[in-house]
Amino acid sequence: MKLLQQFSDDLEALVARASPAVVGVEHPRGHGTGLFLTPDGYLLTNRHVVVRGTRKLTVQLSNGEELRGTLVGSDAPTDLAVVRAEGDGFPTLPLAEPEAVRVGQLVMAIGNPFRLEQSVSLGVVSAINRSVPLPNGVMLEGMLQTDAAINPGNSGGPLLNMRGQVVGLNTLVLPYAQGIGFAVSATTAAWIASLLIQRGKVERRFLGIAATAVSLDARLTQENGQSRAVRVLRVQEGTPAHDAGLQVDDLLLAINARPVHSVDDLQRLMALATEEEVTLDLLRKGAGRKRARARTRPRVEPVAA
């Protein structure tokens, strides 16, 4: 009984500490949730929360105060957007490091489902690095799966671990299932938000592959100095990857000499690439380590409905 009471007290303290950083995001055509990233008013939410609204938005604080918000930028491939609220001195929450997120970990979702402000639900991380297709043709990569209750209006709110760190941004739930929700990882959110704040958009170079993160065995880890890589699942014909000779089952280790441990790393490095040509380090079964050069081009994104 004492253990249960202590657990309850800890959850109560976590909610009290986290809630001030969680806001409502409103416009005439919809609503959702957001999370303050910086004390000077930059907040993160989902793109689908704001894309149908005007650039002028209403940000509702946890104490009920309403502020004017302005859309800074959005990114369709990750369904993320940055809004800036008028004001300063806002509370923020720390983002979890990738290694701090594990399957089975207890997590808490805070948000405004159906405009029920500051609603809290509890669950676990069910899986990491999920790929989730959307009806508009966008594929969300590197998603966290959770059974914490996520409903319309939760979108853009934080998924927190028991240390009060943000492990992801609640994004969607499968409409035909119960208890299967998805969140954009905090790692993805961090670099996307940085680029949106700096540039107002995220520009990526296009390779033309489908891929998934994999763990390397002990021998490959020792030989290559990294324990994870990205396996190529599909190479689209006529793309830079196809022209560079990439093959299905190639293990992508690095881009421009920067290690690739996950699909998120792949996306980030392609977004940060400034030159048209990128250098790819890869492992091919039966052929060992290889280097390829791909002449990339800007990625054209489908427009969300």
Side-chain angles (χ1 to χ4, degrees):
M1 185 63 70
K2 289 183 179 180
L3 288 176
L4 286 176
Q5 186 59 55
Q6 183 61 54
F7 181 56
S8 177
D9 292 344
D10 289 344
L11 289 179
E12 183 180 350
L14 174 58
V15 172
R17 186 167 72 251
S19 292
V22 182
V23 301
V25 179
E26 301 267 350
H27 58 80
R29 301 183 63 183
H31 73 286
T33 308
L35 170 71
F36 277 121
L37 289 174
T38 65
D40 58 346
Y42 286 102
L43 65 91
L44 194 62
T45 187
N46 281 135
R47 182 179 186 270
H48 73 260
V49 170
V50 297
V51 72
R52 294 186 179 183
T54 64
R55 292 187 66 86
K56 297 299 182 182
L57 306 162
T58 298
V59 176
Q60 186 178 52
L61 305 184
S62 60
N63 62 7
E65 181 182 359
E66 293 187 350
L67 305 173
R68 174 173 289 185
T70 303
L71 179 62
V72 174
S74 66
D75 181 57
T78 56
D79 193 21
L80 294 173
V82 169
V83 172
R84 190 168 192 183
E86 294 181 347
D88 204 348
F90 298 110
T92 63
L93 290 170
L95 302 181
E97 296 295 330
E99 58 272 14
V101 184
R102 299 177 299 277
V103 174
Q105 187 176 48
L106 276 174
V107 285
M108 174 187 293
I110 304 179
N112 302 330
F114 303 106
R115 288 191 169 88
L116 298 172
E117 295 86 356
Q118 300 291 317
S119 293
V120 177
S121 60
L122 191 66
V124 299
V125 175
S126 305
I128 58 177
N129 291 319
R130 293 290 200 207
S131 297
V132 184
L134 299 183
N136 56 21
V138 173
M139 177 74 75
L140 296 179
E141 304 278 3
M143 302 288 284
L144 303 180
Q145 181 183 327
T146 181
D147 66 346
I150 298 174
N151 291 283
N154 269 115
S155 295
L159 190 67
L160 300 158
N161 63 23
M162 295 299 102
R163 297 183 181 91
Q165 300 168 328
V166 179
V167 301
L169 227 72
N170 301 316
T171 298
L172 61 92
V173 63
L174 294 183
Y176 48 82
Q178 293 183 354
I180 302 180
F182 298 93
V184 179
S185 76
T187 306
T188 301
W191 68 264
I192 289 290
S194 177
L195 290 177
L196 290 177
I197 292 171
Q198 294 174 34
R199 308 175 186 175
K201 59 182 178 179
V202 179
E203 296 178 330
R204 292 171 175 81
R205 309 302 298 180
F206 173 65
L207 265 182
I209 63 173
T212 188
V214 295
S215 297
L216 303 181
D217 63 29
R219 179 181 63 82
L220 292 179
T221 295
Q222 184 175 14
E223 291 176 354
N224 295 282
Q226 62 190 76
S227 60
R228 292 179 65 79
V230 166
R231 185 184 300 280
V232 176
L233 300 177
R234 185 174 68 253
V235 180
Q236 185 177 344
E237 290 190 13
T239 63
H242 180 264
D243 295 342
L246 266 69
Q247 300 177 11
V248 172
D249 285 337
D250 281 349
L251 295 176
L252 183 58
L253 298 172
I255 295 176
N256 291 338
R258 297 182 178 182
V260 173
H261 300 108
S262 65
V263 174
D264 184 68
D265 285 343
L266 171 61
Q267 293 181 344
R268 176 174 54 84
L269 293 172
M270 293 305 293
L272 295 176
T274 56
E275 301 295 330
E276 182 177 296
E277 186 175 271
V278 297
T279 301
L280 309 173
D281 290 317
L282 52 91
L283 283 175
R284 180 167 296 161
K285 190 173 182 179
R289 187 157 182 151
K290 298 176 65 67
R291 176 163 287 180
R293 288 179 171 83
R295 188 169 294 277
T296 63
R297 54 179 182 264
R299 179 173 179 173
V300 178
E301 307 297 352
V303 177

